[in-house]
Amino acid sequence: MEAYHTFINEWSYRHPYPWDFFNTVERVADQDLEWFWRSWYYETWVLDHAVASVDDQGDQVVVEIQDLGEVPMPATVRVILEDDSELQEVVPVDVWLSGERTATVTFDTGQPVKEVVIDPEFHFPDVDRANNFWEPSH
């Protein structure tokens, strides 16, 4: 919100270009977001994270996430356990920005896993949500 307010205050009654907005957001966030602007504003790339594998080892579960698209975004991974409790980790965007196409997240579970889901709150426009979900086969 701070970036929006700053932008509005600095550019009211003027004629900003898109990069004026981008520069304001980066300045307020104190981050280089070129990867974000390029992915969402200058390209026609898609976001597609997928659950590649789940290795349930009893007290731990190892989840491998694949980045099948071109858009680098963080991946929220939620594990739902047999008692319906939830564990969650985020694969940071830096993993994908470094060129990796897979990331592994390990959860200490203490019980069997009922399901694994990427982006459980539907925050990102993933092009193929069918591969964001895993359930054990019985």
PDB file of all heavy atoms in Angstrom, residues 3 21-42 72-74 93-94 97:
ATOM      1  N   ALA A   3       3.654   1.802  -1.429  1.00  0.00           N
ATOM      2  CA  ALA A   3       4.128   2.119  -2.779  1.00  0.00           C
ATOM      3  C   ALA A   3       3.037   2.803  -3.597  1.00  0.00           C
ATOM      4  O   ALA A   3       3.304   3.769  -4.326  1.00  0.00           O
ATOM      5  CB  ALA A   3       4.607   0.857  -3.478  1.00  0.00           C
ATOM      6  N   PHE A  21       5.884   4.085 -12.472  1.00  0.00           N
ATOM      7  CA  PHE A  21       5.259   3.269 -11.428  1.00  0.00           C
ATOM      8  C   PHE A  21       6.226   2.186 -10.952  1.00  0.00           C
ATOM      9  O   PHE A  21       6.410   1.988  -9.749  1.00  0.00           O
ATOM     10  CB  PHE A  21       3.969   2.629 -11.950  1.00  0.00           C
ATOM     11  CG  PHE A  21       3.333   1.693 -10.968  1.00  0.00           C
ATOM     12  CD1 PHE A  21       2.729   2.172  -9.816  1.00  0.00           C
ATOM     13  CD2 PHE A  21       3.342   0.327 -11.199  1.00  0.00           C
ATOM     14  CE1 PHE A  21       2.147   1.299  -8.902  1.00  0.00           C
ATOM     15  CE2 PHE A  21       2.763  -0.548 -10.297  1.00  0.00           C
ATOM     16  CZ  PHE A  21       2.165  -0.055  -9.148  1.00  0.00           C
ATOM     17  N   PHE A  22       6.863   1.486 -11.890  1.00  0.00           N
ATOM     18  CA  PHE A  22       7.800   0.415 -11.540  1.00  0.00           C
ATOM     19  C   PHE A  22       8.919   0.960 -10.651  1.00  0.00           C
ATOM     20  O   PHE A  22       9.269   0.357  -9.633  1.00  0.00           O
ATOM     21  CB  PHE A  22       8.411  -0.218 -12.786  1.00  0.00           C
ATOM     22  CG  PHE A  22       7.422  -0.785 -13.776  1.00  0.00           C
ATOM     23  CD1 PHE A  22       7.799  -1.010 -15.083  1.00  0.00           C
ATOM     24  CD2 PHE A  22       6.117  -1.102 -13.411  1.00  0.00           C
ATOM     25  CE1 PHE A  22       6.913  -1.544 -16.004  1.00  0.00           C
ATOM     26  CE2 PHE A  22       5.211  -1.638 -14.332  1.00  0.00           C
ATOM     27  CZ  PHE A  22       5.619  -1.854 -15.625  1.00  0.00           C
ATOM     28  N   ASN A  23       9.483   2.098 -11.040  1.00  0.00           N
ATOM     29  CA  ASN A  23      10.586   2.691 -10.262  1.00  0.00           C
ATOM     30  C   ASN A  23      10.142   3.100  -8.866  1.00  0.00           C
ATOM     31  O   ASN A  23      10.892   2.939  -7.897  1.00  0.00           O
ATOM     32  CB  ASN A  23      11.179   3.893 -11.001  1.00  0.00           C
ATOM     33  CG  ASN A  23      11.953   3.489 -12.236  1.00  0.00           C
ATOM     34  OD1 ASN A  23      12.481   2.385 -12.325  1.00  0.00           O
ATOM     35  ND2 ASN A  23      12.012   4.378 -13.204  1.00  0.00           N
ATOM     36  N   THR A  24       8.934   3.623  -8.746  1.00  0.00           N
ATOM     37  CA  THR A  24       8.416   4.014  -7.429  1.00  0.00           C
ATOM     38  C   THR A  24       8.265   2.788  -6.535  1.00  0.00           C
ATOM     39  O   THR A  24       8.696   2.795  -5.376  1.00  0.00           O
ATOM     40  CB  THR A  24       7.062   4.738  -7.548  1.00  0.00           C
ATOM     41  OG1 THR A  24       7.225   5.900  -8.373  1.00  0.00           O
ATOM     42  CG2 THR A  24       6.536   5.143  -6.183  1.00  0.00           C
ATOM     43  N   VAL A  25       7.675   1.728  -7.061  1.00  0.00           N
ATOM     44  CA  VAL A  25       7.492   0.510  -6.275  1.00  0.00           C
ATOM     45  C   VAL A  25       8.844  -0.053  -5.839  1.00  0.00           C
ATOM     46  O   VAL A  25       9.027  -0.417  -4.672  1.00  0.00           O
ATOM     47  CB  VAL A  25       6.684  -0.550  -7.062  1.00  0.00           C
ATOM     48  CG1 VAL A  25       6.684  -1.885  -6.334  1.00  0.00           C
ATOM     49  CG2 VAL A  25       5.264  -0.064  -7.298  1.00  0.00           C
ATOM     50  N   GLU A  26       9.802  -0.112  -6.742  1.00  0.00           N
ATOM     51  CA  GLU A  26      11.130  -0.637  -6.403  1.00  0.00           C
ATOM     52  C   GLU A  26      11.815   0.227  -5.348  1.00  0.00           C
ATOM     53  O   GLU A  26      12.454  -0.288  -4.433  1.00  0.00           O
ATOM     54  CB  GLU A  26      12.003  -0.738  -7.650  1.00  0.00           C
ATOM     55  CG  GLU A  26      11.575  -1.848  -8.562  1.00  0.00           C
ATOM     56  CD  GLU A  26      12.508  -2.040  -9.740  1.00  0.00           C
ATOM     57  OE1 GLU A  26      13.573  -1.386  -9.802  1.00  0.00           O
ATOM     58  OE2 GLU A  26      12.171  -2.862 -10.617  1.00  0.00           O
ATOM     59  N   ARG A  27      11.674   1.536  -5.466  1.00  0.00           N
ATOM     60  CA  ARG A  27      12.298   2.440  -4.494  1.00  0.00           C
ATOM     61  C   ARG A  27      11.693   2.253  -3.108  1.00  0.00           C
ATOM     62  O   ARG A  27      12.414   2.134  -2.115  1.00  0.00           O
ATOM     63  CB  ARG A  27      12.153   3.893  -4.962  1.00  0.00           C
ATOM     64  CG  ARG A  27      12.951   4.880  -4.109  1.00  0.00           C
ATOM     65  CD  ARG A  27      12.808   6.318  -4.588  1.00  0.00           C
ATOM     66  NE  ARG A  27      11.521   6.857  -4.151  1.00  0.00           N
ATOM     67  CZ  ARG A  27      10.516   7.200  -4.944  1.00  0.00           C
ATOM     68  NH1 ARG A  27      10.625   7.092  -6.248  1.00  0.00           N
ATOM     69  NH2 ARG A  27       9.400   7.686  -4.453  1.00  0.00           N
ATOM     70  N   VAL A  28      10.374   2.199  -3.036  1.00  0.00           N
ATOM     71  CA  VAL A  28       9.704   2.041  -1.750  1.00  0.00           C
ATOM     72  C   VAL A  28       9.992   0.656  -1.159  1.00  0.00           C
ATOM     73  O   VAL A  28      10.229   0.523   0.040  1.00  0.00           O
ATOM     74  CB  VAL A  28       8.180   2.276  -1.889  1.00  0.00           C
ATOM     75  CG1 VAL A  28       7.457   1.916  -0.609  1.00  0.00           C
ATOM     76  CG2 VAL A  28       7.909   3.733  -2.263  1.00  0.00           C
ATOM     77  N   ALA A  29       9.994  -0.379  -1.985  1.00  0.00           N
ATOM     78  CA  ALA A  29      10.259  -1.746  -1.515  1.00  0.00           C
ATOM     79  C   ALA A  29      11.736  -1.994  -1.269  1.00  0.00           C
ATOM     80  O   ALA A  29      12.099  -2.968  -0.625  1.00  0.00           O
ATOM     81  CB  ALA A  29       9.737  -2.749  -2.531  1.00  0.00           C
ATOM     82  N   ASP A  30      12.583  -1.118  -1.793  1.00  0.00           N
ATOM     83  CA  ASP A  30      14.035  -1.283  -1.707  1.00  0.00           C
ATOM     84  C   ASP A  30      14.457  -2.642  -2.270  1.00  0.00           C
ATOM     85  O   ASP A  30      15.245  -3.364  -1.675  1.00  0.00           O
ATOM     86  CB  ASP A  30      14.520  -1.107  -0.269  1.00  0.00           C
ATOM     87  CG  ASP A  30      16.032  -0.918  -0.189  1.00  0.00           C
ATOM     88  OD1 ASP A  30      16.619  -0.421  -1.172  1.00  0.00           O
ATOM     89  OD2 ASP A  30      16.624  -1.298   0.849  1.00  0.00           O
ATOM     90  N   GLN A  31      13.867  -2.977  -3.438  1.00  0.00           N
ATOM     91  CA  GLN A  31      14.164  -4.238  -4.114  1.00  0.00           C
ATOM     92  C   GLN A  31      14.184  -4.034  -5.619  1.00  0.00           C
ATOM     93  O   GLN A  31      13.425  -3.224  -6.146  1.00  0.00           O
ATOM     94  CB  GLN A  31      13.092  -5.287  -3.816  1.00  0.00           C
ATOM     95  CG  GLN A  31      13.062  -5.794  -2.419  1.00  0.00           C
ATOM     96  CD  GLN A  31      12.027  -6.898  -2.283  1.00  0.00           C
ATOM     97  OE1 GLN A  31      11.826  -7.716  -3.184  1.00  0.00           O
ATOM     98  NE2 GLN A  31      11.348  -6.928  -1.149  1.00  0.00           N
ATOM     99  N   ASP A  32      15.039  -4.801  -6.277  1.00  0.00           N
ATOM    100  CA  ASP A  32      15.051  -4.828  -7.736  1.00  0.00           C
ATOM    101  C   ASP A  32      13.984  -5.832  -8.173  1.00  0.00           C
ATOM    102  O   ASP A  32      14.100  -7.028  -7.917  1.00  0.00           O
ATOM    103  CB  ASP A  32      16.422  -5.264  -8.239  1.00  0.00           C
ATOM    104  CG  ASP A  32      16.492  -5.373  -9.752  1.00  0.00           C
ATOM    105  OD1 ASP A  32      15.491  -5.036 -10.439  1.00  0.00           O
ATOM    106  OD2 ASP A  32      17.536  -5.812 -10.268  1.00  0.00           O
ATOM    107  N   LEU A  33      12.936  -5.357  -8.802  1.00  0.00           N
ATOM    108  CA  LEU A  33      11.826  -6.206  -9.223  1.00  0.00           C
ATOM    109  C   LEU A  33      11.742  -6.339 -10.743  1.00  0.00           C
ATOM    110  O   LEU A  33      10.682  -6.630 -11.292  1.00  0.00           O
ATOM    111  CB  LEU A  33      10.514  -5.650  -8.665  1.00  0.00           C
ATOM    112  CG  LEU A  33      10.425  -5.597  -7.140  1.00  0.00           C
ATOM    113  CD1 LEU A  33       9.174  -4.859  -6.699  1.00  0.00           C
ATOM    114  CD2 LEU A  33      10.457  -7.006  -6.568  1.00  0.00           C
ATOM    115  N   GLU A  34      12.859  -6.161 -11.409  1.00  0.00           N
ATOM    116  CA  GLU A  34      12.877  -6.252 -12.864  1.00  0.00           C
ATOM    117  C   GLU A  34      12.312  -7.575 -13.351  1.00  0.00           C
ATOM    118  O   GLU A  34      11.577  -7.628 -14.342  1.00  0.00           O
ATOM    119  CB  GLU A  34      14.302  -6.057 -13.380  1.00  0.00           C
ATOM    120  CG  GLU A  34      14.416  -5.908 -14.887  1.00  0.00           C
ATOM    121  CD  GLU A  34      14.434  -7.243 -15.632  1.00  0.00           C
ATOM    122  OE1 GLU A  34      14.893  -8.244 -15.073  1.00  0.00           O
ATOM    123  OE2 GLU A  34      13.954  -7.263 -16.779  1.00  0.00           O
ATOM    124  N   TRP A  35      12.615  -8.659 -12.645  1.00  0.00           N
ATOM    125  CA  TRP A  35      12.113  -9.984 -13.012  1.00  0.00           C
ATOM    126  C   TRP A  35      10.580 -10.007 -13.006  1.00  0.00           C
ATOM    127  O   TRP A  35       9.956 -10.642 -13.851  1.00  0.00           O
ATOM    128  CB  TRP A  35      12.662 -11.065 -12.069  1.00  0.00           C
ATOM    129  CG  TRP A  35      12.290 -10.842 -10.632  1.00  0.00           C
ATOM    130  CD1 TRP A  35      12.984 -10.125  -9.698  1.00  0.00           C
ATOM    131  CD2 TRP A  35      11.111 -11.304  -9.966  1.00  0.00           C
ATOM    132  NE1 TRP A  35      12.319 -10.118  -8.497  1.00  0.00           N
ATOM    133  CE2 TRP A  35      11.163 -10.846  -8.625  1.00  0.00           C
ATOM    134  CE3 TRP A  35      10.013 -12.062 -10.353  1.00  0.00           C
ATOM    135  CZ2 TRP A  35      10.158 -11.117  -7.695  1.00  0.00           C
ATOM    136  CZ3 TRP A  35       9.020 -12.336  -9.423  1.00  0.00           C
ATOM    137  CH2 TRP A  35       9.110 -11.875  -8.113  1.00  0.00           C
ATOM    138  N   PHE A  36       9.971  -9.302 -12.057  1.00  0.00           N
ATOM    139  CA  PHE A  36       8.514  -9.258 -11.956  1.00  0.00           C
ATOM    140  C   PHE A  36       7.912  -8.443 -13.094  1.00  0.00           C
ATOM    141  O   PHE A  36       6.977  -8.885 -13.764  1.00  0.00           O
ATOM    142  CB  PHE A  36       8.111  -8.669 -10.602  1.00  0.00           C
ATOM    143  CG  PHE A  36       6.626  -8.563 -10.417  1.00  0.00           C
ATOM    144  CD1 PHE A  36       5.899  -9.650  -9.974  1.00  0.00           C
ATOM    145  CD2 PHE A  36       5.946  -7.385 -10.704  1.00  0.00           C
ATOM    146  CE1 PHE A  36       4.528  -9.572  -9.812  1.00  0.00           C
ATOM    147  CE2 PHE A  36       4.580  -7.295 -10.542  1.00  0.00           C
ATOM    148  CZ  PHE A  36       3.866  -8.386 -10.097  1.00  0.00           C
ATOM    149  N   TRP A  37       8.437  -7.245 -13.323  1.00  0.00           N
ATOM    150  CA  TRP A  37       7.888  -6.382 -14.378  1.00  0.00           C
ATOM    151  C   TRP A  37       8.020  -7.050 -15.736  1.00  0.00           C
ATOM    152  O   TRP A  37       7.082  -7.027 -16.542  1.00  0.00           O
ATOM    153  CB  TRP A  37       8.589  -5.032 -14.389  1.00  0.00           C
ATOM    154  CG  TRP A  37       8.616  -4.356 -13.060  1.00  0.00           C
ATOM    155  CD1 TRP A  37       9.717  -3.917 -12.385  1.00  0.00           C
ATOM    156  CD2 TRP A  37       7.498  -4.029 -12.208  1.00  0.00           C
ATOM    157  NE1 TRP A  37       9.359  -3.361 -11.180  1.00  0.00           N
ATOM    158  CE2 TRP A  37       8.002  -3.417 -11.049  1.00  0.00           C
ATOM    159  CE3 TRP A  37       6.124  -4.211 -12.320  1.00  0.00           C
ATOM    160  CZ2 TRP A  37       7.187  -2.972 -10.014  1.00  0.00           C
ATOM    161  CZ3 TRP A  37       5.309  -3.775 -11.288  1.00  0.00           C
ATOM    162  CH2 TRP A  37       5.842  -3.161 -10.152  1.00  0.00           C
ATOM    163  N   ARG A  38       9.193  -7.650 -15.974  1.00  0.00           N
ATOM    164  CA  ARG A  38       9.393  -8.311 -17.264  1.00  0.00           C
ATOM    165  C   ARG A  38       8.398  -9.450 -17.437  1.00  0.00           C
ATOM    166  O   ARG A  38       7.770  -9.585 -18.488  1.00  0.00           O
ATOM    167  CB  ARG A  38      10.817  -8.834 -17.375  1.00  0.00           C
ATOM    168  CG  ARG A  38      11.051  -9.511 -18.696  1.00  0.00           C
ATOM    169  CD  ARG A  38      12.474  -9.898 -18.929  1.00  0.00           C
ATOM    170  NE  ARG A  38      12.567 -10.504 -20.248  1.00  0.00           N
ATOM    171  CZ  ARG A  38      13.486 -11.354 -20.595  1.00  0.00           C
ATOM    172  NH1 ARG A  38      14.442 -11.686 -19.751  1.00  0.00           N
ATOM    173  NH2 ARG A  38      13.499 -11.865 -21.797  1.00  0.00           N
ATOM    174  N   SER A  39       8.231 -10.281 -16.425  1.00  0.00           N
ATOM    175  CA  SER A  39       7.355 -11.454 -16.513  1.00  0.00           C
ATOM    176  C   SER A  39       5.902 -11.095 -16.738  1.00  0.00           C
ATOM    177  O   SER A  39       5.215 -11.742 -17.534  1.00  0.00           O
ATOM    178  CB  SER A  39       7.451 -12.280 -15.228  1.00  0.00           C
ATOM    179  OG  SER A  39       8.750 -12.749 -15.029  1.00  0.00           O
ATOM    180  N   TRP A  40       5.415 -10.079 -16.022  1.00  0.00           N
ATOM    181  CA  TRP A  40       3.990  -9.792 -16.043  1.00  0.00           C
ATOM    182  C   TRP A  40       3.565  -8.656 -16.982  1.00  0.00           C
ATOM    183  O   TRP A  40       2.396  -8.573 -17.357  1.00  0.00           O
ATOM    184  CB  TRP A  40       3.486  -9.478 -14.634  1.00  0.00           C
ATOM    185  CG  TRP A  40       3.557 -10.674 -13.748  1.00  0.00           C
ATOM    186  CD1 TRP A  40       4.401 -10.860 -12.696  1.00  0.00           C
ATOM    187  CD2 TRP A  40       2.785 -11.866 -13.839  1.00  0.00           C
ATOM    188  NE1 TRP A  40       4.195 -12.093 -12.133  1.00  0.00           N
ATOM    189  CE2 TRP A  40       3.204 -12.725 -12.807  1.00  0.00           C
ATOM    190  CE3 TRP A  40       1.773 -12.301 -14.696  1.00  0.00           C
ATOM    191  CZ2 TRP A  40       2.644 -13.992 -12.611  1.00  0.00           C
ATOM    192  CZ3 TRP A  40       1.225 -13.562 -14.490  1.00  0.00           C
ATOM    193  CH2 TRP A  40       1.663 -14.381 -13.458  1.00  0.00           C
ATOM    194  N   TYR A  41       4.510  -7.789 -17.367  1.00  0.00           N
ATOM    195  CA  TYR A  41       4.121  -6.626 -18.181  1.00  0.00           C
ATOM    196  C   TYR A  41       4.709  -6.621 -19.587  1.00  0.00           C
ATOM    197  O   TYR A  41       4.107  -6.063 -20.491  1.00  0.00           O
ATOM    198  CB  TYR A  41       4.482  -5.322 -17.465  1.00  0.00           C
ATOM    199  CG  TYR A  41       3.623  -5.098 -16.256  1.00  0.00           C
ATOM    200  CD1 TYR A  41       4.041  -5.498 -14.997  1.00  0.00           C
ATOM    201  CD2 TYR A  41       2.365  -4.527 -16.367  1.00  0.00           C
ATOM    202  CE1 TYR A  41       3.236  -5.318 -13.889  1.00  0.00           C
ATOM    203  CE2 TYR A  41       1.549  -4.344 -15.268  1.00  0.00           C
ATOM    204  CZ  TYR A  41       1.995  -4.742 -14.035  1.00  0.00           C
ATOM    205  OH  TYR A  41       1.194  -4.584 -12.939  1.00  0.00           O
ATOM    206  N   TYR A  42       5.877  -7.214 -19.759  1.00  0.00           N
ATOM    207  CA  TYR A  42       6.537  -7.131 -21.057  1.00  0.00           C
ATOM    208  C   TYR A  42       6.521  -8.437 -21.840  1.00  0.00           C
ATOM    209  O   TYR A  42       6.838  -8.449 -23.019  1.00  0.00           O
ATOM    210  CB  TYR A  42       7.984  -6.671 -20.891  1.00  0.00           C
ATOM    211  CG  TYR A  42       8.079  -5.253 -20.367  1.00  0.00           C
ATOM    212  CD1 TYR A  42       8.613  -4.997 -19.107  1.00  0.00           C
ATOM    213  CD2 TYR A  42       7.627  -4.174 -21.120  1.00  0.00           C
ATOM    214  CE1 TYR A  42       8.700  -3.697 -18.624  1.00  0.00           C
ATOM    215  CE2 TYR A  42       7.705  -2.879 -20.639  1.00  0.00           C
ATOM    216  CZ  TYR A  42       8.246  -2.653 -19.392  1.00  0.00           C
ATOM    217  OH  TYR A  42       8.327  -1.375 -18.913  1.00  0.00           O
ATOM    218  N   PRO A  72       8.868 -16.527 -12.982  1.00  0.00           N
ATOM    219  CA  PRO A  72       9.365 -16.865 -11.645  1.00  0.00           C
ATOM    220  C   PRO A  72       8.496 -16.211 -10.574  1.00  0.00           C
ATOM    221  O   PRO A  72       8.284 -15.008 -10.578  1.00  0.00           O
ATOM    222  CB  PRO A  72      10.777 -16.271 -11.640  1.00  0.00           C
ATOM    223  CG  PRO A  72      10.708 -15.131 -12.600  1.00  0.00           C
ATOM    224  CD  PRO A  72       9.676 -15.497 -13.626  1.00  0.00           C
ATOM    225  N   MET A  73       7.962 -17.038  -9.697  1.00  0.00           N
ATOM    226  CA  MET A  73       7.175 -16.545  -8.564  1.00  0.00           C
ATOM    227  C   MET A  73       7.433 -17.464  -7.381  1.00  0.00           C
ATOM    228  O   MET A  73       7.761 -18.630  -7.571  1.00  0.00           O
ATOM    229  CB  MET A  73       5.676 -16.545  -8.891  1.00  0.00           C
ATOM    230  CG  MET A  73       5.252 -15.519  -9.924  1.00  0.00           C
ATOM    231  SD  MET A  73       5.576 -13.814  -9.470  1.00  0.00           S
ATOM    232  CE  MET A  73       4.362 -13.527  -8.228  1.00  0.00           C
ATOM    233  N   PRO A  74       7.265 -16.952  -6.167  1.00  0.00           N
ATOM    234  CA  PRO A  74       7.398 -17.844  -5.012  1.00  0.00           C
ATOM    235  C   PRO A  74       6.320 -18.931  -5.071  1.00  0.00           C
ATOM    236  O   PRO A  74       5.264 -18.725  -5.664  1.00  0.00           O
ATOM    237  CB  PRO A  74       7.171 -16.937  -3.802  1.00  0.00           C
ATOM    238  CG  PRO A  74       6.847 -15.593  -4.321  1.00  0.00           C
ATOM    239  CD  PRO A  74       6.920 -15.593  -5.805  1.00  0.00           C
ATOM    240  N   VAL A  93      11.288 -16.940  -4.510  1.00  0.00           N
ATOM    241  CA  VAL A  93      11.471 -16.679  -5.934  1.00  0.00           C
ATOM    242  C   VAL A  93      12.943 -16.757  -6.333  1.00  0.00           C
ATOM    243  O   VAL A  93      13.268 -17.101  -7.467  1.00  0.00           O
ATOM    244  CB  VAL A  93      10.854 -15.312  -6.332  1.00  0.00           C
ATOM    245  CG1 VAL A  93      11.657 -14.160  -5.772  1.00  0.00           C
ATOM    246  CG2 VAL A  93      10.722 -15.206  -7.845  1.00  0.00           C
ATOM    247  N   ASP A  94      13.839 -16.493  -5.392  1.00  0.00           N
ATOM    248  CA  ASP A  94      15.281 -16.540  -5.695  1.00  0.00           C
ATOM    249  C   ASP A  94      15.720 -17.904  -6.215  1.00  0.00           C
ATOM    250  O   ASP A  94      16.674 -17.988  -6.986  1.00  0.00           O
ATOM    251  CB  ASP A  94      16.098 -16.164  -4.465  1.00  0.00           C
ATOM    252  CG  ASP A  94      15.889 -14.724  -4.045  1.00  0.00           C
ATOM    253  OD1 ASP A  94      15.438 -13.918  -4.890  1.00  0.00           O
ATOM    254  OD2 ASP A  94      16.162 -14.398  -2.876  1.00  0.00           O
ATOM    255  N   LEU A  97      14.897 -17.716  -9.838  1.00  0.00           N
ATOM    256  CA  LEU A  97      15.725 -16.690 -10.481  1.00  0.00           C
ATOM    257  C   LEU A  97      17.166 -17.162 -10.680  1.00  0.00           C
ATOM    258  O   LEU A  97      17.854 -16.691 -11.581  1.00  0.00           O
ATOM    259  CB  LEU A  97      15.709 -15.394  -9.670  1.00  0.00           C
ATOM    260  CG  LEU A  97      14.381 -14.640  -9.644  1.00  0.00           C
ATOM    261  CD1 LEU A  97      14.463 -13.450  -8.687  1.00  0.00           C
ATOM    262  CD2 LEU A  97      13.977 -14.199 -11.035  1.00  0.00           C
TER     263      LEU A  97
END
